[in-house]
Amino acid sequence: QVQLVESGGGLVQPGGSLRLSCAASGSIFRINVMGWYRRAPGKERELVATITSFGKTNYADSVKGRFTISRDNAGNTAYLQMNSLKPEDTAVYYCKIDQMGTAYWGQGTQVTVSS
């Protein structure tokens, strides 16, 4: 089993920044993909960014140049640095880890961008 705990969400003004963290614990395999997804009110959950255990990253077009995903050296914590936030970034952000054909999700953390 794998547990994911997200933190770092909150209320921020447009143009501001937030940093989300996702701490993974339990049976973490060396090779995996960690990612951030989000669900805005009334919308489907969508990919934000992913990072492999080798450091390869992938971003949604809507966040390219503004968001940066990274992992710590141990590989068990993923981060999402969000800059130049817009009201349309308001959503619940979820962390996910994929390994050996199984996906695990965190409980989500709310990000609200509003003046």
Side-chain angles (χ1 to χ4, degrees):
Q1 278 292 347
V2 174
Q3 296 78 41
L4 299 172
V5 178
E6 301 109 331
S7 60
L11 172 65
V12 64
Q13 292 187 342
S17 298
L18 280 176
R19 189 192 196 207
L20 305 183
S21 298
C22 172
S25 61
S27 300
I28 309 297
F29 294 145
R30 188 174 62 85
I31 298 175
N32 57 60
V33 179
M34 295 188 75
W36 289 96
Y37 295 73
R38 66 187 181 187
R39 177 179 284 149
K43 295 188 177 181
E44 298 286 324
R45 186 159 55 188
E46 63 176 2
L47 167 74
V48 177
T50 60
I51 184 167
T52 71
S53 48
F54 301 103
K56 183 176 181 180
T57 59
N58 179 53
Y59 294 92
D61 288 342
S62 59
V63 306
K64 282 180 181 176
R66 300 188 299 122
F67 292 9
T68 302
I69 189 170
S70 61
R71 302 176 69 147
D72 67 352
N73 288 338
N76 292 347
T77 301
Y79 304 96
L80 186 69
Q81 178 66 42
M82 304 185 294
N83 298 328
S84 302
L85 282 161
K86 305 175 181 179
E88 51 263 43
D89 294 317
T90 295
V92 178
Y93 283 70
Y94 298 90
C95 180
K96 178 187 175 187
I97 186 169
D98 287 278
Q99 56 180 29
M100 299 297 288
T102 301
Y104 300 89
W105 292 89
Q107 80 286 355
T109 184
Q110 177 70 46
V111 171
T112 302
V113 185
S114 175
S115 56

